[in-house]
Amino acid sequence: QLLKEDKDKPSPSFWTFEYYQQFFDIETHQVLGRILGSFVPRPKSNYIPDKIRPNPDLYGPFWVCTTLVFTTAIAGNLANYLGSGGKEYHWKYDFHKVTLAATAIFSYWWVIPTLLFGFLWWRGSKAGYTYLEILCVYGYSLAIYIPISILWVIQFSWFQWILVILGALLSGGVLMITFWPAVKDEDKKIAWAVIVAIFLFHVLLAAGFKVKIIAWNYILKKMK
Amino acid sequence: MNDVPLEGDIVTPGGSPSSEDGEFNTLDEPVRETIMRDVKAVGIKFWHVLYPKQSTALLKEWDLWGPLVLCVFMAMVLQGSSEDQILTGDGGPQFAEVFVIFWAGAVVVTLNTKLLGGNISFFQSICVLGYCVFPLTVSLIVCRIILIASQTTVLFIVRFLVVILGFAWSTFASTAFLAESQPPRRKALAVYPIFLFYFVISWLIISHTY
């Protein structure tokens, strides 16, 4: 079995296929459990020790992000179509939305964990989260946005904003609970700053979707 | 035994697109015969996709001609025309975009299966995924024909149902072929990307209006 407890054990070389297989050593029920846990904040239990160890995976995060790219782009196209009144509009698959969504989502998935891991490593955090585990948590944290992006097709702006806040609270909550043990030994101000920053970026991502991708029908109405 | 060995039988030698410059005794036969043999092999595979049962034709004697034909055809039909771009400011997918989605999608799905521990060779999987787009291509043709009439909601619903049918058929066919090569307890994990791949292609088809 390819259980890797820590990175010091001899592992397959970076250039072999087996090296990457260790990140996909996961089963269906585990993936489902991780997705569910990513948006149900549980103050008593902690996401990483409970769900992610001992085998953090990249399957879930990658496919969650890819699915999210497509659902957001499709919801954006549908929003255009519905917002412009339907039948005469030449409903085209707007490719630019796909690339925009993909860039935003995959950047978020990689950049924030890198910054966070760098910060925690620099401060010598005692929680001992590995880079892979942080990547894994962040990938799964985007899962709640998939049903939300589908619901964004409903064309009421206040409803869409409620969804943004709900999604950010739920999965941001899990993120905050997960990372609190990593920073609680810090000076209170720094610890809180980190936690708030984690939450803020999460909100910004969802709000960004709403504003840039879903709200294009306002621009179309103006063009008419 | 992951890759297809080059065997001495007369049916399509695995993986080699130009069998004219070939080994064995194809050098002596008329070119027409060689080409017809390949065309027949491709045709048989299309037939198998339409009526999926466990068959080794798609797996053991894989080829990429069929997927290439389907991909080029779909990309040609789906590409937006240049005048539309000037009018609306952004257009439908260009030929290259459809092409890339098709092949990059197939590669990523195949890599996913292999990384999960699936027991199938890389090109066999691409071959199956490519051939199983055939029902969706048929849906595209039907939709295109429907689009000649002026559009109403009823026709839209008809197009929608046609695409859903093609999508279900494609997904069902490809899972029928790839079923046992998937690792146990991870079947859903391996099937989901296939579902997503055909879903995206279905979306390209249904959103293609003129």
Side-chain angles (χ1 to χ4, degrees):
Chain A
Q1 247 193 318
L2 289 168
L3 283 184
K4 298 273 181 276
E5 291 278 279
D6 55 62
K7 292 205 172 137
D8 294 74
K9 292 222 175 89
S11 46
S13 142
F14 184 71
W15 301 108
T16 67
F17 194 69
E18 285 71 32
Y19 178 80
Y20 297 100
Q21 272 191 315
Q22 64 182 295
F23 305 128
F24 283 74
D25 185 19
I26 187 131
E27 295 176 4
T28 310
H29 66 94
Q30 287 178 314
V31 171
L32 293 175
R34 289 176 189 189
I35 292 179
L36 205 59
S38 73
F39 55 87
V40 179
R42 287 217 178 107
K44 298 262 170 50
S45 66
N46 190 319
Y47 193 63
I48 290 194
D50 290 349
K51 302 265 194 212
I52 306 282
R53 297 193 174 142
N55 54 339
D57 71 298
L58 288 180
Y59 172 92
F62 177 77
W63 286 108
V64 163
C65 289
T66 309
T67 309
L68 188 59
V69 167
F70 286 114
T71 55
T72 322
I74 290 175
N77 278 177
L78 280 175
N80 266 355
Y81 179 67
L82 294 173
S84 66
K87 293 198 180 66
E88 299 94 34
Y89 179 61
H90 280 181
W91 186 21
K92 295 264 186 204
Y93 187 61
D94 184 354
F95 236 71
H96 310 289
K97 285 215 201 316
V98 179
T99 41
L100 178 66
T103 314
I105 291 168
F106 279 96
S107 309
Y108 179 81
W109 176 36
W110 277 89
V111 170
I112 310 274
T114 309
L115 294 175
L116 195 54
F117 178 71
F119 176 80
L120 290 177
W121 173 75
W122 172 51
R123 307 292 288 195
S125 151
K126 301 219 179 44
Y129 294 153
T130 69
Y131 182 54
L132 187 60
E133 285 164 354
I134 301 185
L135 263 185
C136 193
V137 175
Y138 261 88
Y140 279 107
S141 73
L142 293 175
I144 182 75
Y145 292 126
I146 295 178
I148 286 182
S149 61
I150 298 175
L151 287 173
W152 271 337
V153 172
I154 299 175
Q155 289 295 302
F156 290 114
S157 193
W158 55 268
F159 180 66
Q160 292 170 336
W161 280 111
I162 289 181
L163 286 175
V164 167
I165 296 175
L166 195 63
L169 277 177
L170 284 175
S171 55
V174 173
L175 281 177
M176 291 196 290
I177 294 175
T178 307
F179 287 103
W180 176 249
V183 292
K184 67 176 192 266
D185 297 325
E186 299 273 338
D187 171 30
K188 281 289 173 209
K189 287 210 197 89
I190 299 184
W192 275 107
V194 171
I195 295 294
V196 168
I198 290 176
F199 182 69
L200 257 163
F201 277 117
H202 213 59
V203 173
L204 278 177
L205 183 77
F209 284 155
K210 164 76 182 73
V211 170
K212 292 302 278 178
I213 297 180
I214 305 298
W216 279 42
N217 45 322
Y218 299 140
I219 301 178
L220 270 181
K221 281 194 184 132
K222 280 195 211 148
M223 271 168 48
K224 283 192 179 161
Chain B
M1 203 239 36
N2 268 341
D3 292 321
V4 180
L6 279 182
E7 294 160 345
D9 46 12
I10 301 185
V11 190
T12 317
S16 146
S18 52
S19 42
E20 289 97 297
D21 59 350
E23 300 94 78
F24 317 119
N25 46 6
T26 61
L27 209 45
D28 293 333
E29 63 182 8
V31 171
R32 199 179 93 106
E33 226 176 87
T34 320
I35 294 182
M36 285 315 293
R37 188 188 315 129
D38 272 348
V39 168
K40 257 194 225 140
V42 170
I44 288 177
K45 292 200 183 73
F46 280 136
W47 180 253
H48 277 296
V49 170
L50 283 185
Y51 297 103
K53 303 176 299 217
Q54 245 328 296
S55 96
T56 51
L58 264 163
L59 283 179
K60 290 240 170 62
E61 299 145 1
W62 58 268
D63 73 86
L64 294 179
W65 276 124
L68 183 64
V69 163
L70 289 176
C71 175
V72 168
F73 175 76
M74 287 185 72
M76 276 188 348
V77 176
L78 282 174
Q79 63 181 339
S81 71
S82 47
E83 6 164 307
D84 278 325
Q85 277 186 337
I86 300 174
L87 281 177
T88 63
D90 47 32
Q94 297 309 304
F95 181 93
E97 286 164 342
V98 178
F99 207 83
V100 164
I101 286 190
F102 186 98
W103 291 105
V107 165
V108 169
V109 174
T110 302
L111 277 180
N112 179 73
T113 312
K114 301 264 309 171
L115 282 169
L116 282 173
N119 150 12
I120 186 173
S121 97
F122 183 79
F123 284 110
Q124 281 172 348
S125 173
I126 302 244
C127 168
V128 169
L129 288 171
Y131 270 101
C132 288
V133 175
F134 184 54
L136 276 171
T137 311
V138 170
S139 294
L140 176 62
I141 297 174
V142 172
C143 282
R144 204 68 186 82
I145 296 175
I146 293 180
L147 280 171
I148 295 179
S150 59
Q151 291 305 292
T152 66
T153 316
V154 174
L155 281 185
F156 173 74
I157 294 181
V158 172
R159 278 197 299 131
F160 186 73
L161 288 173
V162 164
V163 173
I164 295 256
L165 183 63
F167 165 64
W169 205 334
S170 286
T171 313
F172 174 67
S174 63
T175 46
F177 287 118
L178 293 175
E180 341 67 60
S181 60
Q182 312 291 18
R185 290 198 305 272
R186 296 177 184 184
K187 282 204 164 44
L189 297 187
V191 165
Y192 173 71
I194 299 178
F195 168 91
L196 190 62
F197 176 61
Y198 291 130
F199 180 79
V200 171
I201 295 185
S202 311
W203 177 257
L204 289 178
I205 295 176
I206 190 71
S207 64
H208 173 72
T209 56
Y210 213 45

